[in-house]
Amino acid sequence: MLPFARRMRKPVMPNREGAALTCVNVALGTRSYVIEIGTDTLRRGLPAHVTNAASRIVVVTNDVVFPLYGAAVATALEASERPIVSVVLPDGEAHKDWQHLNQIFDALLSNACDRKTLLVALGGGVIGDMVGFAAATYQRGVSFVQIPTTLLSQVDSSVGGKTGINHPLGKNMVGAFYQPKHVLIDTDVLRTLPDREYRAGLAEVIKYGIALDAAFFAWLETNIDALSARDSATLAYAIRRSCEIKAGIVANDEYETRGARALLNFGHTFGHAIETELGYGTWLHGEAVGCGMALATNFSAILGRLPEADRQRVLQLIQRAGLTTAMPAVAVERMLLHMARDKKNESGAIRLILLDGIGQCHVDGTVDRAAIATFLAQQ
Ligand code: NAD
Ligand code: GLY
């Protein structure tokens, strides 16, 4: 197991009304923050130390999440005694673009928001990424908080400060590294998440086990049925462990310059290509990542790096989570075109995350395009 994937200490502390709450720290010096994980945390709201510095609070959400949780969050934020503004964007990956980012700026400017404004991202990864980017750039940077409401955003996108929007030619191609001040995870909100979205979130949970933590992978093999059934104790552990692993990596390699953070992209080179080619929102991000992980696993085995028994275990876990391992009908040259634009690439070489075993992987920029093309043509 890699040093940064080691089990971290798990402080459990009383929350604002005395109930148990798990906290995971993202250790980034003066930009460190806490991920609070618990039940009923939405109603309890944000800690005072986060809201005290704010002149006003702007909650950005979408038209699916707002009717479900907008009122609860607004009520909880009343304790801050700050003016509260809500901005409701249309739902969906297809709207993670300049036009809708600009709607956030329009609302901030028309409400005369100053540099002490606190933005709150209430929603899944689409809202979280867009609000983070708006916070990074509005008046050269204002504070923001993540309140992730999908499984995917609770275990991945709300943590680590990758923010941005899509471009028609590539996924997440415009953005910034910008850390939130706080992450508030309420596991209760997952009860309203549609099954398809929940399974897509499981892809990112499984990713941590496959790529970085063999013990977590084995735990997932044992518990995948309970996790799929949304058993609350199993879910709470899966979210906490995922956040711990991600927090450890981000603390080690915040800007993805030291090799560690790129490993979190396992499955994403193939996955982003599928997502972009099919059109944003056709396959969910997590579905594309699930398939991309299967492709990266098969390719690692073909290159002689991964034992057959490990390949079988990985594919079985992805399938047991209800995710497809079969590539959609996409022309090889289209896949290669998108993969050639991946942000990990250097000097024109496609860089893939390949497995050496369960829980062990590396960034590989040595595989030539012809070998990738031959592999894809066989899928
Ligand atoms: P999403 O934000 O589109 O949310 C999925 C759907 O669930 C949406 O329709 C949303 O409105 C709905 N929803 C959200 N919470 C709900 C709830 N509690 N109950 C019912 N419905 C709810 O998608 P996602 O899977 O959360 O995030 C995917 C995005 O995250 C992609 O754009 C991807 O690029 C990004 N991402 C970013 C990072 C990062 O590090 N920044 C990591 C992984 C993924
Ligand atoms: N989701 C990959 C990362 O945050 O680096």
Side-chain angles (χ1 to χ4, degrees):
M1 194 186 305
L2 298 174
F4 47 75
R6 72 186 181 279
R7 187 160 301 215
M8 297 166 71
R9 287 198 301 141
K10 300 171 287 296
V12 176
M13 51 188 66
N15 68 8
R16 287 175 284 294
E17 285 179 12
L21 190 69
T22 301
C23 293
V24 176
N25 188 40
V26 185
L28 290 168
T30 53
R31 287 168 298 103
S32 296
Y33 54 95
V34 167
I35 308 164
E36 286 188 82
I37 307 165
T39 56
D40 204 25
T41 58
L42 215 61
R43 190 178 58 80
R44 296 186 172 97
L46 296 169
H49 74 85
V50 174
T51 53
N52 276 351
S55 56
R56 65 183 61 212
I57 300 175
V58 177
V59 180
V60 184
T61 183
N62 70 32
D63 53 16
V64 169
V65 176
F66 182 69
L68 293 169
Y69 303 111
V73 168
T75 303
L77 289 176
E78 278 169 14
S80 69
E81 298 180 343
R82 301 294 188 275
I84 296 162
V85 174
S86 292
V87 179
V88 183
L89 300 177
D91 179 43
E93 186 77 43
H95 303 298
K96 189 179 168 183
D97 58 12
W98 274 118
Q99 185 193 340
H100 294 90
L101 177 72
N102 210 35
Q103 283 188 15
I104 303 176
F105 296 134
D106 289 346
L108 294 173
L109 288 165
S110 58
N111 283 283
C113 291
D114 63 19
R115 298 175 89 174
K116 290 196 165 173
T117 300
L118 176 70
L119 295 191
V120 175
L122 173 67
V126 168
I127 286 291
D129 283 12
M130 289 178 75
V131 175
F133 190 36
T137 47
Y138 183 68
Q139 298 196 1
R140 301 199 180 90
V142 296
S143 295
F144 86 112
V145 164
Q146 292 270 16
I147 305 185
T149 60
T150 61
L151 179 58
L152 183 142
S153 57
Q154 295 190 347
V155 299
D156 191 354
S157 63
S158 64
V159 175
K162 276 191 182 175
T163 74
I165 55 172
N166 299 327
H167 186 282
L169 296 180
K171 178 87 184 122
N172 295 333
M173 278 295 163
V174 181
F177 285 98
Y178 194 68
Q179 300 295 339
K181 287 279 175 251
H182 194 77
V183 181
L184 184 71
I185 295 179
D186 190 332
T187 55
D188 289 342
V189 303
L190 298 181
R191 288 193 196 128
T192 56
L193 196 63
D195 266 347
R196 187 177 168 201
E197 299 291 350
Y198 185 79
R199 282 196 302 275
L202 287 177
E204 301 281 14
V205 176
I206 290 171
K207 172 189 79 177
Y208 294 115
I210 300 173
L212 296 159
D213 188 336
F216 187 47
F217 182 91
W219 180 88
L220 285 165
E221 285 182 309
T222 306
N223 292 284
I224 191 66
D225 295 336
L227 195 54
S228 296
R230 310 190 195 196
D231 170 73
S232 56
T234 312
L235 187 51
Y237 177 75
I239 293 171
R240 188 189 82 206
R241 185 71 197 123
S242 299
C243 288
E244 286 170 352
I245 294 171
K246 180 145 189 190
I249 295 223
V250 169
N252 190 293
D253 184 17
E254 181 179 7
Y255 298 110
E256 208 168 304
T257 51
R258 302 173 65 189
R261 187 159 184 172
L263 304 180
L264 290 175
N265 237 240
F266 174 66
H268 286 58
T269 319
F270 292 114
H272 281 163
I274 292 170
E275 220 183 332
T276 307
E277 178 59 18
L278 296 183
Y280 300 124
T282 308
W283 273 34
L284 301 180
H285 175 74
E287 291 170 336
V289 168
C291 179
M293 292 193 298
L295 291 172
T297 300
N298 285 332
F299 197 35
S300 304
I302 283 171
L303 294 173
R305 308 201 69 104
L306 184 70
E308 176 58 17
D310 284 359
R311 186 184 80 89
Q312 297 280 355
R313 283 176 71 193
V314 170
L315 295 188
Q316 273 170 21
L317 186 61
I318 296 170
Q319 286 163 359
R320 285 179 65 202
L323 294 159
T324 184
T325 52
M327 196 175 131
V330 175
V332 170
E333 59 275 18
R334 296 293 300 172
M335 285 292 287
L336 287 173
L337 183 76
H338 295 302
M339 292 170 74
R341 292 195 187 112
D342 189 88
K343 293 191 290 302
K344 291 186 296 303
N345 295 346
E346 278 175 11
S347 311
I350 294 176
R351 295 169 89 224
L352 293 169
I353 313 300
L354 296 176
L355 288 180
D356 303 303
I358 288 173
Q360 287 175 310
C361 61
H362 69 283
V363 184
D364 198 315
T366 65
V367 187
D368 69 43
R369 244 170 245 218
I372 301 173
T374 305
F375 164 72
L376 287 172
Q378 290 162 352
Q379 300 309 299

